[in-house]
């Protein structure tokens, strides 16, 4: 029997994580921070920089704009691995990916770079959604780069459902951004964090792999609201926003303003139109195989959220 050994040197390999204060990295970091002694955490805002420095005082924290074409070379200097997360719906998102891959190729020629882990999205073939099409272009560029890579393709995240407001409201109302009859597959951030850590720690075993990541589903929002209603003992009234309301709400949540570039507006408009008709569906088989156990169900995640919220208010 052949035993596959990883070349990871946790004491000396420099691991770079972009969008390090975001949800995806926040799920990954607790799984790897104690093992990986050299971390470079990349963020965008002063608030994120301050928080990361307090939470991970041994790490190097860099605040920058990933859209600047020369920054990837600075970010990847002496790096062995990157876990590359891009800002959602960012302007010229594909170019960000291309620039980071080009910088990784340069570092690889210098002898230090070993593994590019790309945080993508489920079913990038669904090109009617602009951000899927952009991720597809980056995936293709990465595959042809001659770098050792792994692509993690996440579906719709469970945390997007607002459990806390449903608990707080006396007569809770959930305003759906799209047709609540359309089913989706869901991913728990905890599952993504465990998978990401496994890929980083086992390295060679996951070279040239694409992993579609789903924890549970398909479920539509009628089913979800029904589960939450039963758990909190209050009936949630389900309503659907108008398309215009959904677009404005997405833009405000993502950018804090409606005054954003046309490309980002187009991307938000397209995803909402697509979700309203088709949803986003995948299988949980790959996630189960990677985790070595059943992934988190939506019901389990919801119960954990409710327990944490109640504990915080005790």
């Amino acid at each position: 029997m052949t035993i596959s050994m990883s070349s990871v040197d946790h004491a000396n390999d420099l691991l770079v994580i972009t969008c390090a204060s975001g949800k995806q990295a926040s799920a990954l970091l607790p799984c790897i921070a104690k093992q990986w002694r050299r971390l470079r955490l990349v963020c965008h805002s002063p608030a994120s920089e301050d928080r990361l420095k307090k939470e991970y005082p041994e790490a190097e924290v860099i605040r920058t704009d990933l859209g600047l074409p020369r920054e990837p070379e600075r970010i990847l200097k002496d790096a062995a691995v990157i876990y590359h997360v891009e800002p959602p719906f960012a302007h010229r998102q594909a170019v960000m990916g291309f620039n980071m891959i080009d910088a990784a190729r340069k570092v690889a020629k210098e002898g230090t770079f070993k593994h590019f882990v790309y945080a993508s999205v489920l079913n990038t073939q669904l090109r009617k959604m602009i951000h899927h099409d952009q991720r597809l272009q980056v995936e293709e560029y990465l595959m042809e780069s001659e770098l050792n890579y792994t692509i993690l393709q996440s579906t719709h995240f469970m945390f997007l459902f607002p459990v806390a407001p449903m608990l707080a409201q006396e007569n809770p109302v959930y305003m759906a951004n799209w047709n609540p009859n359309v089913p989706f597959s869901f991913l728990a951030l905890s599952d993504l964090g465990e998978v990401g850590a496994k890929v980083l720690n086992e390295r060679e075993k996951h070279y040239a792999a694409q992993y579609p990541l789903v924890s549970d589903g398909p479920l539509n929002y009628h089913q979800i609201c029904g589960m939450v209603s039963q758990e909190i003992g209050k009936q949630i009234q389900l309503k659907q926003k108008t398309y215009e309301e959904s677009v404005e709400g997405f833009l405000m949540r993502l950018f804090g303003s409606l005054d954003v570039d046309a490309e980002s507006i187009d991307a938000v408009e397209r995803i909402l139109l697509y979700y309203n008709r088709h949803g986003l569906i995948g299988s949980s088989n790959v996630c189960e195989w990677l985790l070595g156990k059943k992934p988190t169900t939506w019901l389990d995640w919801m119960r954990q959220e409710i327990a944490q919220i109640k504990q915080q208010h005790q």
Side-chain angles (χ1 to χ4, degrees):
M1 182 178 68
T2 301
I3 300 175
S4 178
M5 300 294 290
S6 170
S7 66
V8 173
D9 182 349
H10 289 110
N12 296 301
D13 284 351
L14 175 58
L15 168 59
V16 176
I17 302 175
T18 58
C19 292
S21 66
K23 293 289 187 180
Q24 294 192 52
S26 295
L28 173 67
L29 278 165
C31 299
I32 55 97
K34 290 182 179 179
Q35 286 179 289
W36 290 77
R37 307 313 302 168
R38 297 185 67 202
L39 293 174
R40 179 177 291 156
L41 308 180
V42 182
C43 62
H44 185 259
S45 72
S48 294
E49 181 182 22
D50 290 343
R51 183 177 66 80
L52 288 169
K53 285 181 176 179
K54 289 177 182 177
E55 290 186 13
Y56 302 98
E58 302 301 318
E60 176 188 3
V61 180
I62 293 179
R63 177 164 59 90
T64 188
D65 182 349
L66 293 176
L68 298 175
R70 295 187 182 276
E71 282 300 272
E73 289 189 24
R74 181 171 77 96
I75 289 167
L76 287 178
K77 181 176 173 56
D78 300 324
V81 190
I82 184 171
Y83 190 99
H84 183 50
V85 184
E86 293 167 350
F89 301 96
H91 179 57
R92 302 183 71 206
Q93 189 166 49
V95 176
M96 284 186 189
F98 299 158
N99 290 341
M100 194 65 72
I101 292 166
D102 287 341
R105 292 179 69 183
K106 182 175 180 180
V107 179
K109 289 179 180 178
E110 296 169 356
T112 61
F113 194 82
K114 299 170 184 176
H115 194 190
F116 196 115
V117 181
Y118 179 49
S120 188
V121 293
L122 183 69
N123 298 341
T124 49
Q125 306 95 321
L126 303 175
R127 296 176 57 223
K128 292 182 179 67
M129 290 183 282
I130 291 173
H131 79 295
H132 277 237
D133 184 50
Q134 290 178 330
R135 301 295 178 92
L136 181 63
Q137 293 177 52
V138 176
E139 289 180 358
E140 179 184 30
Y141 198 72
L142 181 57
M143 289 174 182
E144 295 175 349
S145 69
E146 300 182 357
L147 294 168
N148 295 314
Y149 69 85
T150 308
I151 299 171
L152 304 181
Q153 300 169 318
S154 300
T155 187
H156 206 54
F157 287 111
M158 293 180 182
F159 77 83
L160 294 170
F161 187 85
V163 174
M166 299 299 102
L167 270 172
Q169 295 173 22
E170 185 175 347
N171 298 299
V173 178
Y174 177 68
M175 299 297 297
N177 286 299
W178 40 73
N179 184 349
N181 295 307
V182 174
F184 286 79
S185 294
F186 294 87
L187 180 61
L189 281 172
S190 58
D191 290 346
L192 176 61
E194 287 187 45
V195 168
K198 183 182 182 72
V199 167
L200 291 169
N201 288 327
E202 295 180 348
R203 187 174 288 170
E204 289 88 350
K205 185 176 180 180
H206 304 282
Y207 283 173
Q210 300 176 72
Y211 294 140
L213 298 179
V214 170
S215 298
D216 197 13
L219 295 164
N220 65 41
Y221 279 85
H222 283 292
Q223 293 170 298
I224 287 170
C225 287
M227 284 191 290
V228 180
S229 294
Q230 187 171 0
E231 201 67 23
I232 67 176
K234 294 185 284 187
Q235 186 62 40
I236 296 174
Q237 186 179 1
L238 178 57
K239 297 181 179 181
Q240 184 179 352
K241 297 178 184 177
T242 66
Y243 175 68
E244 292 76 14
E245 288 171 341
S246 294
V247 169
E248 290 185 3
F250 254 65
L251 291 172
M252 289 300 298
R253 190 174 74 211
L254 289 167
F255 305 106
S257 171
L258 301 179
D259 185 22
V260 297
D261 62 277
E263 180 185 317
S264 297
I265 295 173
D266 286 344
V268 168
E269 290 176 342
R270 296 279 188 91
I271 192 175
L272 289 168
L273 285 171
Y274 193 93
Y275 279 2
N276 191 62
R277 178 172 295 180
H278 301 288
L280 188 62
I281 300 297
S283 169
S284 63
N285 290 345
V286 171
C287 196
E288 181 175 347
W289 168 69
L290 287 165
L291 292 171
K293 62 183 181 181
K294 289 286 186 183
T296 305
T297 67
W298 212 96
L299 188 60
D300 287 340
W301 172 81
M302 176 193 62
R303 286 172 174 166
Q304 292 167 9
E305 284 292 298
I306 291 172
Q308 289 177 7
I309 293 165
K310 288 182 176 179
Q311 186 176 17
Q312 291 169 1
H313 288 84
Q314 285 180 351

